[in-house]
């Protein structure tokens, strides 16, 4: 059964690659949901409804982070690059360029 998450025939891909693709798709879906919740919260006038959405947003943050950690553990070069960018002070682009060079 083909899906949009694969660019090669799924039956030709190893199970590990299919799992990786699923996690990438899930990460993308969580990021999209985070964006939707931010928009909804920004315009919601009802405090109770907004509080529920904010709680749901926290769940999306958690899911995004867990999926990202899974992918980083599965991909050492990606993890090394992320270490040079995430949670670092300074210019994000400069940190990214340095991290990319270090990971090559």
């Amino acid at each position: 059964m083909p899906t949009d998450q694969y660019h090669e025939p799924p039956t030709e891909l190893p199970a590990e690659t299919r799992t990786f693709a699923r996690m990438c798709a899930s990460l993308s879906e969580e990021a999209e949901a985070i964006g939707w919740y931010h928009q909804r919260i920004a315009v919601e006038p009802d405090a109770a409804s907004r509080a529920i959405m904010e709680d749901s947003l926290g769940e999306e943050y958690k899911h995004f982070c867990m999926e990202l950690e899974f992918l980083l553990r599965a991909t050492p070069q990606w993890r090394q690059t992320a270490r040079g960018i995430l949670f670092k002070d300074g210019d994000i682009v400069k940190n990214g360029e340095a991290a990319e060079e270090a990971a090559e």
Side-chain angles (χ1 to χ4, degrees):
M1 171 192 297
T3 68
D4 290 339
Q5 72 191 33
Y6 299 113
H7 295 280
E8 299 296 331
T11 56
E12 294 181 21
L13 298 171
E16 181 179 281
T17 301
R18 292 193 312 269
T19 295
F20 189 86
R22 284 187 208 104
M23 292 304 288
C24 285
S26 292
L27 185 72
S28 177
E29 291 163 1
E30 297 299 341
E32 188 173 46
I34 288 167
W36 291 341
Y37 276 115
H38 273 273
Q39 292 176 46
R40 292 172 186 157
I41 290 165
V43 298
E44 180 53 55
D46 182 79
S49 177
R50 197 172 49 253
I52 293 166
M53 288 183 221
E54 288 168 348
D55 183 69
S56 296
L57 177 60
E59 288 290 311
E60 302 301 341
Y61 287 151
K62 178 185 76 174
H63 297 155
F64 181 93
C65 291
M66 291 186 324
E67 290 157 3
L68 179 59
E69 180 63 20
F70 177 92
L71 292 166
L72 293 176
R73 288 181 184 187
T75 315
Q77 184 179 2
W78 188 358
R79 187 173 194 81
Q80 183 180 0
T81 301
R83 282 188 175 135
I85 301 169
L86 299 176
F87 311 109
K88 301 278 185 183
D89 293 329
D91 185 278
I92 296 170
V93 174
K94 287 181 182 176
N95 289 347
E97 290 171 356
E100 183 179 27
E101 287 177 23
E104 289 177 353

